[in-house]
């Protein structure tokens, strides 16, 4: 074997929002001269994760699967916690078992690429084994700047004072209400880990981000030149990633959504999806339905009624009521199936994306040049929404919230905004421009393409 051929071990976390960027990056890297192994935990949390893991190993037979067995984990310590958070915790508690797995691979591993949620465990393991360690960051450069600056911010602030607005040097001020809300409570397990992982970042060899220079020029420059945090490692902005052929196949078998789109006029359809881990109150779902109906526009709505796809019991009809589907028949399609979102966004019939602005969705809208109407839910969505607004890919409804238990965004307001954006040529042009920049970035000689080659060169260094 070629002694200089790198062997990269990927350590992904759980949840499709985390796994898809891993799979897509791995797919892209596999066309380069490197060996790849993927640490794999079964059973996965959701059925979609299991399908996509299977598809990856089927479509890339040269990629090695490293089975990793979790220690038994008692979830009763965390009553009511989301199953994905529980899995992250279970992973973290088993991380000391990872070193022998990585040490045992042949040919010998040369680098580890880890999910951010596991960094503070994985980086020391990589260092012990004298391997490079890179982070594959699943969110924006803006969020990367928050993750790496937040520990510094806490060190410099009065320990008694509340977490307030965070002014990230060289990037932007993030209002307190835009932060992932658990960060406001530094005693939370999630926050402690966020801080630990954020501190560890400067000790890595590099970070891979699913973004591109034209989308986030300011944050990328500030990360690279050390304005955010001194001594920051190499930043590889290698996005937007493309979905894999296997994803298209894993999507709903007859691709009924795409068949339906084929019958719709150009740019006439509002695509509505709030990610795959979403639970939205049924009351809010009914307002969304009313809004879509009132907008008069055609729509394709991916409706998730529960957090994990396995548990989905409540039918669309139960949630939205009997009359709705009849009234919008022909112009609206509602499905609970896993769809090929990238193919949908790339379809000429789609004119607007009403989204929770999960980072993967934002990059997919950017790649497709489709205007995004951002209705952030929680987590990093508001930070992503700042990028939606600043890049021109879309519009952020800052006062639309999901948080207020009693407060719901009315169907009337939703319908008005949707209709207005669908008719706005300037919005459409700005988004199309971002789409052109995205295509340039990943083309030969583009910023993301070059960054990928630099990453591969670093693996060989
Ligand atoms: Br649902 C669904 N098909 O049916 P985000 C999602 N996706 O391809 P997240 C499909 O899942 P949070 C479906 O294209 C995107 O790549 C979609 O990631 C794909 O949100 C991904 O947008 C979803 O980052 O929520 O992870 O669901 O941000 O809260 O983790």
């Amino acid at each position: 074997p070629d002694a200089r051929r790198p062997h990269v071990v990927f350590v992904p976390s759980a949840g499709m929002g985390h796994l898809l960027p891993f799979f897509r990056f791995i797919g892209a890297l596999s066309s380069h001269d490197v060996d790849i192994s993927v640490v794999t935990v079964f059973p996965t949390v959701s059925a979609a994760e299991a399908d996509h893991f299977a598809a990856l190993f089927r479509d890339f037979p040269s990629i090695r699967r490293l089975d990793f067995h979790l220690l038994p984990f008692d979830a009763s310590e965390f009553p009511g916690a989301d199953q994905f958070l529980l899995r992250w915790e279970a992973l973290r508690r088993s991380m000391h078992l990872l070193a022998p797995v990585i040490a045992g691979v042949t040919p010998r591993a040369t680098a580890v690429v880890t999910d951010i949620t596991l960094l503070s465990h994985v980086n020391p393991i990589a260092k012990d084994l004298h391997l490079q360690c890179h982070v594959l960051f699943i969110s924006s450069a803006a969020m990367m700047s928050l993750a790496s600056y937040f520990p510094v911010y806490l060190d410099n602030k009065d320990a008694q004072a509340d977490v307030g607005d965070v002014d990230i040097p060289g990037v932007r001020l993030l209002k307190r209400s835009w932060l992932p809300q658990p960060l406001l409570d530094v005693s939370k397990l999630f926050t402690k880990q966020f801080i630990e992982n954020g501190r560890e970042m400067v000790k890595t060899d590099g970070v891979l981000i699913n973004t591109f220079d034209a989308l986030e020029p300011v944050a990328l420059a500030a990360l690279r030149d050390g304005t955010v945090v001194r001594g920051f490692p190499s930043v590889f902005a290698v996005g937007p990633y493309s979905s894999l052929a296997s994803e298209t196949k894993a999507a709903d078998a007859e691709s009924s959504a795409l068949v339906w789109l084929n019958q719709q006029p150009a740019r006439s359809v509002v695509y509505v999806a709030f990610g795959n881990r979403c639970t939205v109150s049924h009351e809010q779902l009914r307002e969304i339905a009313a809004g879509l109906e009132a907008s008069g526009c055609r729509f394709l709505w991916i409706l998730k009624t529960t957090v994990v796809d396995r548990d989905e019991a409540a039918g669309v009809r139960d949630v939205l009521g009997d009359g709705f589907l009849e009234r919008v028949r022909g112009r609206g399609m509602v499905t609970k199936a896993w769809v090929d979102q990238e193919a949908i966004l790339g379809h000429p019939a789609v004119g607007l994306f009403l989204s929770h602005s999960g980072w993967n969705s934002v990059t997919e809208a950017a790649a497709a040049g489709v205007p995004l109407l951002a209705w952030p839910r929680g987590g990093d969505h508001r930070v992503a929404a700042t990028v939606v607004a600043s890049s021109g890919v879309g519009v952020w409804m800052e006062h639309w919230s999901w948080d207020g238990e009693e407060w719901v965004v009315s169907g009337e307001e939703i319908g008005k905004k949707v209709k207005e954006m669908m008719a706005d040529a300037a919005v459409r042009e700005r988004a199309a421009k971002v789409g052109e920049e995205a295509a340039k970035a990943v083309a030969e000689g583009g910023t993301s393409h070059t960054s990928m080659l630099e990453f591969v060169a670093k693996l060989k260094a």
Side-chain angles (χ1 to χ4, degrees):
D2 177 355
R4 293 182 39 137
R5 187 176 158 97
H7 182 181
V8 188
V9 177
F10 284 83
V11 188
S13 175
M16 285 304 284
H18 285 250
L19 290 178
L20 277 179
F22 264 79
F23 294 161
R24 291 171 180 175
F25 180 80
I26 289 168
L29 185 65
S30 71
S31 67
H32 295 265
D33 185 27
V34 292
D35 286 317
I36 296 173
S37 293
V38 183
V39 172
T40 309
V41 176
F42 281 117
T44 57
V45 181
S46 68
E49 293 173 73
D51 292 349
H52 284 76
F53 260 116
L56 180 79
F57 293 116
R58 190 182 59 230
D59 291 0
F60 298 92
S62 66
I63 296 177
R64 297 168 176 79
R65 187 177 119 183
L66 294 180
D67 287 323
F68 185 62
H69 301 283
L70 294 178
L71 290 174
F73 173 65
D74 181 8
S76 64
E77 245 183 87
F78 304 94
D82 159 316
Q83 295 190 51
F84 293 97
L85 287 177
L86 291 175
R87 173 54 64 88
W88 296 350
E89 185 55 24
L91 277 164
R92 271 189 293 262
R93 291 186 185 191
S94 300
M95 274 296 117
H96 58 286
L97 302 176
L98 187 65
V101 174
I102 296 176
V105 299
T106 44
R108 194 177 112 54
T110 58
V112 179
V113 174
T114 180
D115 188 270
I116 181 72
T117 54
L118 304 170
L119 180 61
S120 69
H121 297 276
V122 174
N123 193 42
I125 293 174
K127 291 282 166 299
D128 275 354
L129 296 172
H130 305 288
L131 310 178
Q132 288 185 27
C133 183
H134 299 268
V135 178
L136 194 154
F137 195 63
I138 58 145
S139 186
S140 56
M143 190 61 198
M144 170 58 92
S145 70
L146 174 64
S148 48
Y149 177 67
F150 194 64
V152 181
Y153 165 81
L154 292 179
D155 291 345
N156 293 330
K157 100 170 179 26
D158 171 1
Q160 302 309 315
D162 190 30
V163 175
D165 298 347
V166 180
D167 194 359
I168 305 173
V171 182
R172 70 168 304 149
L173 181 134
L174 293 175
K175 288 191 204 165
R176 182 181 192 276
S177 59
W178 301 351
L179 303 175
Q181 293 302 290
L183 296 189
L184 301 182
D185 181 353
V186 291
S187 69
K188 276 219 160 84
L189 181 66
F190 172 88
T191 311
K192 287 189 177 142
Q193 274 145 5
F194 187 89
I195 294 165
E196 246 174 56
N197 291 324
R199 273 194 213 286
E200 197 75 21
M201 211 101 72
V202 287
K203 302 179 205 156
T204 65
D205 297 283
V207 298
L208 295 151
I209 314 181
N210 183 15
T211 191
F212 52 103
D213 282 68
L215 189 68
E216 299 193 82
V218 176
L220 283 170
L223 283 169
R224 287 182 173 133
D225 68 18
T227 308
V228 177
V229 174
R230 237 178 307 137
F232 204 77
S234 307
V235 175
F236 303 101
V238 289
Y241 303 151
S242 319
S243 65
L244 302 176
S246 52
E247 289 179 47
T248 313
K249 283 179 242 146
D252 67 319
E254 288 79 44
S255 280
S256 52
L258 288 171
V259 172
W260 183 80
L261 280 178
N262 284 340
Q263 297 155 5
Q264 312 307 320
R267 285 197 289 266
S268 68
V269 175
V270 186
Y271 171 58
V272 184
F274 301 110
N276 69 93
R277 325 196 298 131
C278 187
T279 37
V280 171
S281 77
H282 289 185
E283 189 190 1
Q284 182 66 80
L285 289 176
R286 284 190 284 270
E287 290 299 321
I288 295 169
L292 292 172
E293 189 177 351
S295 73
C297 301
R298 294 163 201 265
F299 62 87
L300 169 59
W301 184 3
I302 312 306
L303 177 61
K304 303 284 159 190
T305 48
T306 54
V307 178
V308 177
D309 54 9
R310 275 185 196 142
D311 309 334
E312 293 203 14
V316 170
R317 209 166 277 277
D318 300 336
V319 178
L320 300 182
D322 275 339
F324 175 72
L325 292 174
E326 271 75 63
R327 290 195 303 278
V328 299
R329 193 196 303 270
R331 75 169 171 99
M333 175 169 176
V334 185
T335 175
K336 292 174 70 169
W338 181 265
V339 297
D340 181 359
Q341 178 164 298
E342 193 185 52
I344 288 174
L345 287 169
H347 197 287
V350 172
L352 179 68
F353 181 14
L354 174 57
S355 166
H356 71 311
S357 71
W359 185 246
N360 294 303
S361 293
V362 173
T363 60
E364 288 159 19
V370 170
L372 187 149
L373 175 51
W375 184 358
R377 218 172 59 226
D380 60 348
H381 304 157
R382 286 186 176 77
V383 178
T386 66
V387 181
V388 169
S390 68
S391 66
V393 75
V395 169
W396 172 21
M397 298 308 284
E398 205 191 314
H399 66 287
W400 285 11
S401 152
W402 301 94
D403 305 336
E405 294 208 337
E406 289 131 64
W407 195 69
V408 186
V409 183
S410 72
E412 194 187 340
E413 188 169 358
I414 297 165
K416 218 174 98 203
K417 191 68 200 172
V418 162
K419 198 168 164 188
E420 176 194 310
M421 272 189 83
M422 283 291 272
D424 192 332
V427 161
R428 200 154 58 223
E429 264 166 44
R430 278 198 297 273
K433 180 91 186 10
V434 176
E436 284 161 24
E437 295 289 349
K440 262 194 248 165
V442 294
E444 183 107 28
T447 55
S448 295
H449 186 258
T450 305
S451 224
M452 186 70 164
L453 296 179
E454 284 166 4
F455 175 67
V456 174
K458 175 133 190 173
L459 290 176
K460 294 182 177 172

